[in-house]
Amino acid sequence: MAALALMDFVLVAFVLVLFAGSRWIPGRSVPAAATEDLAAAGDTDTETEPPRAYRLNGAWLFALTAGAAAGFWIWSPRVLVWPDRHWGELLLVANAFAFALAWLLFRTGRRRTPAASGPSGRRRGLSDYFYGVERNPVWAGVDLKFFSYRPSLIGLFVFNVSAAAVQYTGQGSLSGRMLLYQIFFFVYLANYFQFEGGMVHTWDLIAERFGWMLVWGDYVLVPFFYGISGRTLIHVREPLPLWLGAVCCALFVFGFWLFRGANDQKHRFKTGGAVTIWGRPAETLGGRLLVSGFWGIGRKLNYTGELLVYLSWTLLCGTGSVVPYLLPAFLLLMFVHRAHRDDRRCRVKYGRLWEEYCRRARFRMFPFVY
């Protein structure tokens, strides 16, 4: 019990420190998505909702965490072993934290917006708890849904560094596989916080309500499941073949270019209107749908790129265990489901314009396949 109490304290302290940093560290503010985007998402209360803005200071929080990790690595790498050694206990308390936070959001949401909960009853109550009542609950001036990406991804970074520390303290050095994995993941996470403002235009932030589904995903699924390759690599002793390293590097670079490039093109189009893509003025359909660059080739190539990024570091684990390959398999299923879900929404939102776009961009994620 004492050990779990310590884990509770560590996890809550970690989240509270990041919350305080999100509240008080200066950062550029960006406005929330336009009202028309919210209405297209099915929100009926956009006229009464006050204007919102997001403070982009996640890069500072990530940099401070990375700096602290570097300091501990120089001073005593054994300190960084602690998160991995207590992974199971932290997983348990993270689940308890996620369920409790979802319940608190459910109760406060019902009190603030009783009309949104509709008729009472067990089925409706379970639905509100699972999906959430409020779309953007704000505590102490911090949007909780936007904030929760920070403990999620920074927590994942901490677990990755801890896995490296376990291998380093146990074997005296980092394997080529682990080193490459750490580089890939650091670039991926740092890039997220560098372009944190792009999250404002994602479907999760615009439309999804903040309930157990997103809370559990942020505080449990991402930090504990997404770093499974790093924990696997602790015990992989086979040297990294040159050909495999080259394949993984090529997959990462190409996937990252596809993932970040597609998202950047859409973000610039949404925020800047007329932009230049691949050296030419952006082409659109009705001024609403981008058909230049990646978006003229496939409708969800950003999903394809992100999947390739995750596959690049999973392949570093070799074939000794199937466990690390569960993550790209899970992401493949999730992205396919999201692509179908997005397609249904866009058909309702854009009508015939979407049919024309589908004829222009024939593929969803994999050219000539899907």
Side-chain angles (χ1 to χ4, degrees):
M1 293 298 294
L4 288 180
L6 175 62
M7 303 305 150
D8 281 328
F9 173 79
V10 169
L11 186 141
V12 172
F14 175 73
V15 174
L16 287 179
V17 167
L18 293 180
F19 186 89
S22 298
R23 177 68 179 85
W24 298 111
I25 292 178
R28 180 171 61 93
S29 292
V30 295
T35 302
E36 62 179 22
D37 291 333
L38 298 173
D43 194 293
T44 57
D45 300 320
T46 54
E47 293 185 0
T48 61
E49 183 178 280
R52 290 179 295 108
Y54 299 99
R55 182 180 296 177
L56 306 182
N57 51 17
W60 278 109
L61 294 171
F62 180 71
L64 289 171
T65 305
F72 279 121
W73 191 280
I74 295 171
W75 174 57
S76 177
R78 292 191 180 277
V79 175
L80 297 172
V81 169
W82 192 88
D84 185 83
R85 288 289 185 246
H86 296 279
W87 186 89
E89 296 98 320
L90 289 169
L91 174 61
L92 182 62
V93 298
N95 271 283
F97 179 87
F99 276 87
L101 178 58
W103 175 255
L104 188 57
L105 290 166
F106 168 74
R107 299 301 298 174
T108 56
R110 281 285 185 94
R111 285 198 295 269
R112 290 174 181 171
T113 57
S117 62
S120 60
R122 178 177 296 180
R123 180 173 297 181
R124 183 66 199 188
L126 289 174
S127 176
D128 281 348
Y129 177 77
F130 186 85
Y131 293 108
V133 178
E134 296 180 281
R135 190 182 64 248
N136 292 98
V138 176
W139 291 359
V142 176
D143 184 297
L144 290 183
K145 185 163 57 173
F146 186 70
F147 160 75
S148 292
Y149 286 100
R150 294 169 179 178
S152 177
L153 295 174
I154 293 176
L156 174 60
F157 169 74
V158 170
F159 277 123
N160 280 340
V161 172
S162 184
V166 171
Q167 186 182 76
Y168 181 78
T169 56
Q171 303 177 19
S173 63
L174 293 180
S175 67
R177 297 172 186 266
M178 178 67 81
L179 186 60
L180 205 54
Y181 170 83
Q182 296 292 335
I183 292 172
F184 287 170
F185 231 126
F186 183 84
V187 170
Y188 175 78
L189 294 175
N191 179 260
Y192 167 84
F193 288 106
Q194 181 183 1
F195 295 98
E196 191 178 31
M199 285 298 300
V200 172
H201 298 281
T202 60
W203 182 262
D204 286 356
L205 207 63
I206 292 173
E208 299 280 15
R209 300 191 180 274
F210 196 49
W212 181 89
M213 181 179 71
L214 292 183
V215 171
W216 189 84
D218 286 335
Y219 290 93
V220 180
L221 179 68
V222 171
F224 289 90
F225 184 46
Y226 280 44
I228 200 167
S229 294
R231 301 195 76 227
T232 301
L233 285 169
I234 295 174
H235 309 290
V236 177
R237 299 183 180 275
E238 292 83 1
L240 177 66
L242 181 61
W243 68 267
L244 180 58
V247 167
C248 291
C249 287
L251 276 176
F252 179 81
V253 171
F254 178 73
F256 191 81
W257 172 69
L258 190 58
F259 163 65
R260 174 50 60 195
N263 282 336
D264 180 65
Q265 287 175 359
K266 184 168 73 169
H267 178 67
R268 289 192 291 120
F269 171 68
K270 282 182 172 290
T271 57
V275 296
T276 299
I277 294 178
W278 291 350
R280 297 180 179 180
E283 184 181 356
T284 68
L285 294 177
R288 304 177 69 193
L289 292 173
L290 181 65
V291 290
S292 290
F294 293 113
W295 299 95
I297 301 172
R299 307 193 289 276
K300 290 297 175 185
L301 292 184
N302 53 330
Y303 291 175
T304 309
E306 189 166 14
L307 185 62
L308 292 177
V309 165
Y310 277 83
L311 184 61
S312 70
W313 56 59
T314 302
L315 288 174
L316 292 170
C317 297
T319 58
S321 173
V322 71
V323 173
Y325 292 91
L326 296 177
L327 178 59
F330 164 77
L331 289 174
L332 176 61
L333 294 176
M334 185 181 73
F335 287 152
V336 169
H337 178 259
R338 278 192 174 186
H340 279 283
R341 201 171 52 161
D342 292 345
D343 183 76
R344 289 196 302 268
R345 292 188 184 118
C346 290
R347 287 183 190 280
V348 173
K349 179 179 179 180
Y350 297 108
R352 291 185 177 180
L353 200 62
W354 183 253
E355 299 291 341
E356 184 179 351
Y357 174 64
C358 290
R359 287 192 291 269
R360 290 286 300 271
R362 296 171 50 201
F363 313 108
R364 283 193 178 101
M365 292 175 55
F366 306 108
F368 305 105
V369 177
Y370 172 72

